[in-house]
Amino acid sequence: MSPIIIIAVLCGLILFLLASGSAAKPFKFLGTACIKIMIGALFLFFLNAFGSKIGLHVPINLATSSVSGFLGIPGMLGLAALQLWILPH
C-alpha cells in the first residue's frame, strides 16, 4: 500500500476520534488509547522510513505501536535500540 494512503487513513481516523469525543469515561479512555496507538504507528512509520538508511526496521504491530504511542519518543528509541543491539538479524 502507498505510504500516502496509510498516512491519510491514520490522520482521518485521528480526526474522527477527536471529533466524536464521548462523554462516558470508558469510551473516552478507549478513544485516547486508540489515538495513542495510531500516533505510535505513525512514529514507527517515520522511524522505518528514515532508519532504512542504517538498516533499522521495527515492525509495526499492536505491541510496538502501543509502546511507542504510550511512551512517546523514549519508547520509540527503546524499540530502535532493542532492534539494533539486542535482536540483530
Side-chain angles (χ1 to χ4, degrees):
M1 211 185 307
S2 171
I4 302 296
I5 294 172
I6 293 171
I7 292 172
V9 168
L10 288 175
C11 289
L13 287 173
I14 290 170
L15 288 175
F16 174 73
L17 287 173
L18 286 172
S20 69
S22 301
K25 286 186 181 183
F27 293 117
K28 187 172 183 179
F29 173 74
L30 184 63
T32 303
C34 287
I35 289 173
K36 286 187 178 197
I37 290 171
M38 285 188 275
I39 291 172
L42 192 62
F43 278 166
L44 289 174
F45 174 77
F46 285 118
L47 175 69
N48 287 335
F50 295 117
S52 65
K53 293 181 175 92
I54 60 169
L56 176 66
H57 174 74
V58 179
I60 300 174
N61 55 36
L62 184 60
T64 57
S65 295
S66 297
V67 168
S68 65
F70 283 102
L71 297 179
I73 302 295
M76 189 175 65
L77 292 176
L79 287 170
L82 185 75
Q83 188 68 29
L84 282 174
W85 291 304
I86 297 177
L87 300 171
H89 339 279

